[in-house]
Amino acid sequence: MTHSSIIFEYPLNEKMRNWLRVEYLLQQLVASKNAHSPEACLLFLRTLTELLDIFERNELRADLLKELERQQSKLQQWLIVPDIDTQAVHCLIDELSAHGQKMNTVPKFGSTFKEDRFIGQIRQRLSIPGGYCNFDTPTLHLWQHLPIEKRQAQLDHWYAGLEPLHLSLQTLLHLIRQSGRFNELQAHQGFFQNAAEDKNLLRILLSSDDEIYPQVSGHKARFSIRFFPLENDDRVPEILPFQLACC
């Protein structure tokens, strides 16, 4: 992948859709875990409330545990392949097993935050546009004026409860992404379609210099991609080269 390339991803089932959203929010959580910046702290709290909404609607832990077991079974089959690096495979199996054991010991995702009075108050106000002004949330205003060390310790504590989820999800999504190779393809008049039997994820590699983006529709059996220019007055080339990985 060159510096001018960009990867677009599209989930082919609801489970992958949720995982990608959680991954994105966890990445934001880590990036905003900085008590020195009031803006970063606010982003952390907003992101945390979005994660809690997802946790309440989905059985993330059960799905992740099933996938950890499934990936371990797949790796066990790799051990009989000739010339395979068995040490690397065993290390990966051990890593997945450790994630599974850790996930089994932590409470249901989001459950500990329900008992946090401060998070509960903030969560109610963050759903309202501008609802986190200091006159709406005096507790937040006070918290933002606590010593930096105390705020940082609190941010670290909140994230620590989600770290097993983050590490497990990182490993699983990495394996899923690595399961599909990029192939050179062409879209004709901005359109491409194909089959993707029993796949979870599409990854589309384009040159960012072209300022073209894909819109995907499909499910686990078949999908179609339409390409559009970023600017309305631009056009997509009649034959557009791109790369596609079905994972």
Side-chain angles (χ1 to χ4, degrees), residues 206-225:
L206 291 166
S207 169
S208 58
D209 296 336
D210 293 336
E211 297 188 3
I212 290 172
Y213 65 92
Q215 285 191 346
V216 184
S217 60
H219 47 79
K220 63 181 180 180
R222 193 158 191 84
F223 65 91
S224 62
I225 308 173

Side-chain angles (χ1 to χ4, degrees), residues 14-171:
E14 191 62 26
K15 177 184 71 176
M16 183 58 60
R17 189 181 305 274
N18 288 328
W19 288 3
L20 291 180
R21 284 174 174 157
V22 171
E23 177 193 41
Y24 172 74
L25 290 173
L26 287 169
Q27 289 170 346
Q28 282 199 329
L29 209 63
V30 172
S32 59
K33 192 163 59 72
N34 175 14
H36 290 267
S37 167
E39 294 78 16
C41 289
L42 185 57
L43 175 59
F44 183 99
L45 291 168
R46 293 183 68 89
T47 303
L48 182 59
T49 61
E50 291 182 45
L51 277 168
L52 295 179
D53 289 341
I54 294 178
F55 295 157
E56 289 176 357
R57 296 195 302 266
N58 301 278
E59 288 296 329
L60 272 176
R61 186 167 69 167
D63 288 340
L64 287 170
L65 285 170
K66 287 179 185 177
E67 186 65 21
L68 284 168
E69 291 179 3
R70 193 179 76 85
Q71 291 289 346
Q72 288 178 72
S73 296
K74 286 177 63 177
L75 288 168
Q76 290 286 354
Q77 296 171 11
W78 276 98
L79 289 172
I80 62 174
V81 176
D83 301 323
I84 196 73
D85 187 343
T86 56
Q87 184 178 357
V89 174
H90 277 299
C91 286
L92 196 47
I93 291 173
D94 291 343
E95 181 183 352
L96 293 173
S97 177
H99 285 320
Q101 292 173 16
K102 185 69 174 177
M103 293 262 284
N104 272 316
T105 62
V106 297
K108 182 180 178 181
F109 300 139
S111 60
T112 55
F113 295 104
K114 290 182 178 180
E115 304 165 7
D116 192 310
R117 182 167 166 266
F118 177 74
I119 292 293
Q121 291 176 336
I122 298 303
R123 191 177 178 188
Q124 290 178 346
R125 302 309 304 180
L126 288 179
S127 62
I128 302 171
Y132 42 86
C133 288
N134 60 60
F135 61 85
D136 278 320
T137 53
T139 51
L140 174 61
H141 190 56
L142 170 61
W143 184 84
Q144 289 180 313
H145 285 79
L146 294 177
I148 288 176
E149 295 77 11
K150 191 170 184 177
R151 278 184 282 142
Q152 188 64 61
Q154 184 65 73
L155 292 173
D156 292 340
H157 173 71
W158 283 328
Y159 174 71
L162 298 174
E163 190 172 34
L165 163 64
H166 197 178
L167 295 175
S168 297
L169 190 59
Q170 273 184 326
T171 302

